[in-house]
């Protein structure tokens, strides 16, 4: 079968390989792959900054954001042929640590977890894959075109869950949300904010085009200014850019009792002058919380699937700006300014 692979550690080694069918030892559920979404993590793997092949392989099949259709499943598994499913990216470490043992592999303590298409497990950019029944999440058939957005949605579903758990520490009546970055993760974070009935403000650099339109059509407010310049004082911030100056802006401009969720990964080595005393003073005197979040467990996949099913399907499909045939992967990785989410169509 065809698969999109890289040789970890070798830059630009992306290729279509002919691989054997997935072994039955991978699990009793056989899934026909439909779509794989691409993101910055894939770009980093192609650049050989990242990525680890399975122990018995010298290539890594790429692709963690995924959607597939069950071809066969064991009786009694609550999965049936034709079901639309998404494979859970991270799997618990073999030890397992107490977080993984409790099903919270997104909070893994020892770093020995594996991740499909990233770390030690083949990804989903191949014609077929196999899994254990508990390693996939069934999605509503109406998500057949947009279910590939579930994995990035799980990241913000976890972020929102953590925000609400932190908020529950004391009086919490959030009204205003700021999301920095109008890429797929930022737009999905904004969607979940709107679904909660909050006043959502999205910040990005672009001044025209699809991103401002998508924000407006969601019923949120778009800003091409910075958060400090906008005058918005958010009760909740979800930072999705990782840009150091934006990170400083959000941790210094939340409202009293504010919760700031950091979900964007920054480059290392850029320095920004900050008055750490002023930041500390404000955090203490305003009961501020700043926290980081990564990855997702089954609970977040289920919350994300419910959020996508409740959303306007036409709006979701506009997030997928290009669908590229697997064989045209070079084109898919050729980043264009108007791209939001680029998806590989595995069936084409
Ligand atoms: Zn991704
Ligand atoms: Zn663990």
């Amino acid at each position: 079968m065809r698969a999109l692979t890289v040789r970890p550690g070798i830059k630009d080694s992306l290729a279509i390989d002919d691989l054997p069918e997935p072994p039955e030892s991978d699990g009793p559920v056989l899934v026909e792959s439909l779509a794989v979404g691409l993101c910055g993590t894939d770009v980093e793997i192609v650049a050989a900054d990242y990525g680890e092949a399975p122990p018995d392989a010298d290539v890594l099949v790429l692709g963690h954001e995924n959607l597939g259709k069950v071809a066969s499943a064991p009786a009694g598994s609550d999965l049936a042929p034709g079901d639309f499913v998404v494979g859970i990216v991270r799997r618990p470490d073999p030890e397992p640590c107490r977080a993984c043992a409790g099903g919270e592999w997104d909070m893994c303590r020892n770093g020995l977890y594996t991740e499909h298409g990233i770390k030690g497990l083949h990804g989903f950019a191949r014609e077929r894959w196999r899994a254990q029944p508990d390693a996939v999440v069934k999605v509503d058939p109406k998500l057949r075109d947009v279910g590939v957005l579930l994995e990035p949605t799980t990241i913000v579903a976890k972020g929102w869950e953590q925000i609400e758990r932190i908020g529950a520490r004391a009086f919490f009546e959030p009204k205003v949300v700021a999301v920095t970055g109008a890429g797929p993760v930022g737009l999905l974070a904004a969607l979940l904010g709107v679904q909660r009935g909050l006043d959502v403000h999205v910040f990005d650099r672009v001044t025209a085009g699809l991103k401002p339109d998508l924000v407006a059509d969601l019923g949120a407010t778009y800003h091409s200014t910075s958060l400090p310049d906008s005058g918005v004082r958010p009760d909740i911030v979800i930072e999705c850019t990782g840009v150091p100056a934006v990170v400083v802006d959000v941790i210094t401009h939340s409202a009293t009792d504010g919760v700031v969720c950091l979900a964007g990964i920054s480059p290392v080595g850029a320095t920004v002058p900050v008055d750490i005393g002023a930041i500390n003073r404000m955090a203490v005197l305003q009961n501020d919380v700043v926290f980081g979040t990564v990855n997702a467990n089954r609970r977040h996949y289920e919350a994300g699937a419910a959020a996508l099913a409740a959303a306007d399907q036409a709006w979701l499909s506009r997030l997928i700006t290009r669908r590229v045939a697997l064989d045209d992967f070079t084109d898919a990785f050729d980043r264009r300014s108007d791209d939001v989410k680029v998806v590989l169509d595995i069936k084409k």
Side-chain angles (χ1 to χ4, degrees), residues 35-272:
V36 163
L38 300 176
C39 74
T41 301
D42 300 296
V43 173
E44 287 182 346
I45 293 170
V46 173
D49 293 338
Y50 227 66
E52 187 187 315
D56 53 350
D58 43 41
V59 297
L60 170 71
V61 177
L62 202 66
H64 56 280
E65 302 179 9
N66 71 94
L67 176 68
K69 197 181 196 177
V70 173
S72 64
S77 67
D78 100 304
L79 293 167
D83 283 347
F84 290 91
V85 288
V86 170
I88 296 176
V89 175
R90 187 179 288 190
R91 304 311 304 148
D93 80 73
E95 208 163 288
C97 74
R98 288 185 60 190
C100 286
E104 297 200 326
W105 49 76
D106 54 315
M107 306 298 278
C108 181
R109 297 280 297 172
N110 63 18
L112 298 176
Y113 59 81
T114 51
E115 289 177 333
H116 286 287
I118 302 171
K119 184 175 181 281
L121 291 174
H122 281 319
F124 304 105
R126 46 182 163 152
E127 289 181 277
R128 282 168 292 282
W129 46 273
R130 283 184 171 275
Q132 297 296 334
D134 66 355
V136 302
V137 175
K138 197 155 56 165
V139 299
D140 192 311
K142 77 176 177 191
L143 298 176
R144 66 182 67 218
D145 291 325
V146 297
V148 70
L149 296 172
L150 178 55
E151 196 277 341
T153 307
T154 66
I155 304 304
V156 293
K158 177 183 173 186
W160 274 106
E161 177 200 74
Q162 304 284 305
I163 288 164
E164 283 157 356
R165 288 184 175 194
I166 292 165
R169 67 190 162 147
F171 176 84
F172 190 53
E173 197 176 69
K175 290 191 171 63
V176 178
V177 182
V179 175
T180 48
V185 173
L187 289 166
L188 292 165
L191 167 70
L192 270 61
V194 169
Q195 287 181 336
R196 285 163 170 75
L198 300 169
D199 176 17
V200 179
H201 297 258
V202 179
F203 294 79
D204 200 303
R205 283 179 306 187
V206 298
T207 52
L210 183 59
K211 288 176 177 179
D213 287 351
L214 284 167
V215 171
D217 293 345
L218 194 57
T221 307
Y222 184 83
H223 301 263
S224 57
T225 55
S226 67
L227 175 63
D229 288 347
S230 72
V232 173
R233 286 300 263 198
D235 303 304
I236 294 167
V237 180
I238 304 180
E239 203 301 299
C240 305
T241 70
V243 174
V246 177
V247 174
V248 174
D249 282 353
V250 300
I251 64 179
T252 52
H253 287 80
S254 66
T256 297
D257 304 341
V259 180
V260 176
C261 168
L262 302 179
I265 296 177
S266 301
V268 173
T271 57
V272 179

Side-chain angles (χ1 to χ4, degrees), residues 284-307:
V284 171
L285 296 178
Q286 297 193 355
N287 296 298
D288 289 343
V289 176
V290 177
F291 77 99
T293 182
V294 72
N295 203 259
N297 65 45
R298 171 172 279 277
R299 196 167 68 236
H300 310 122
Y301 277 76
E302 286 167 355

